[in-house]
Amino acid sequence: MFKCLKMDVFKYLQKYNGPTFDIILVDPPFTLKIADKVMLELSQSRTFSRDSIIMIESSRHEKIADSYPHLDLWDRKDFGDKWVSFFVVEGEL
């Protein structure tokens, strides 16, 4: 089963209280440069579990950290002007 949602990510993450997702794909608009802010909010949400993988696409010209609370960078791919970063859960939730 999958869900594709088109809504304000910050409101969604703050209110979400359902089952966790195995894979979370995040593609914020490059022009807003909010990838770091999205990852910080996501890392404090109830959307993922120990086995989840989170993928986020971001511009090379915006901040994206190698770790967030409970999440560490697993891999990052370079696609010219953008990065695709993969995060996994580290430590206890």
Side-chain angles (χ1 to χ4, degrees), residues 55-90:
M55 188 272 328
I56 185 165
E57 185 177 9
S58 62
S59 166
R60 290 185 61 140
H61 307 290
E62 66 181 301
K63 179 182 173 186
I64 184 94
D66 289 346
S67 66
Y68 294 92
H70 307 295
L71 300 172
D72 283 334
L73 183 67
W74 175 51
D75 196 9
R76 180 170 285 145
K77 301 295 183 187
D78 183 343
F79 292 97
D81 64 340
K82 63 185 168 187
W83 283 327
V84 175
S85 302
F86 298 86
F87 290 85
V88 293
V89 176
E90 290 296 326

Side-chain angles (χ1 to χ4, degrees), residues 13 22 43:
L13 291 172
D22 296 328
S43 72

Side-chain angles (χ1 to χ4, degrees), residues 5-27:
L5 305 169
K6 184 177 179 181
M7 61 186 300
D8 183 277
V9 66
F10 300 107
K11 289 179 185 175
Y12 180 81
L13 291 172
Q14 290 167 359
K15 294 180 181 181
Y16 187 77
N17 198 20
T20 59
F21 297 96
D22 296 328
I23 300 171
I24 299 173
L25 307 174
V26 186
D27 188 12

Side-chain angles (χ1 to χ4, degrees), residues 31-46:
T31 56
L32 298 181
K33 296 185 178 184
I34 59 171
D36 185 65
K37 188 176 176 183
V38 170
M39 285 301 300
L40 186 57
E41 190 72 39
L42 191 145
S43 72
Q44 299 170 15
S45 74
R46 297 179 180 168

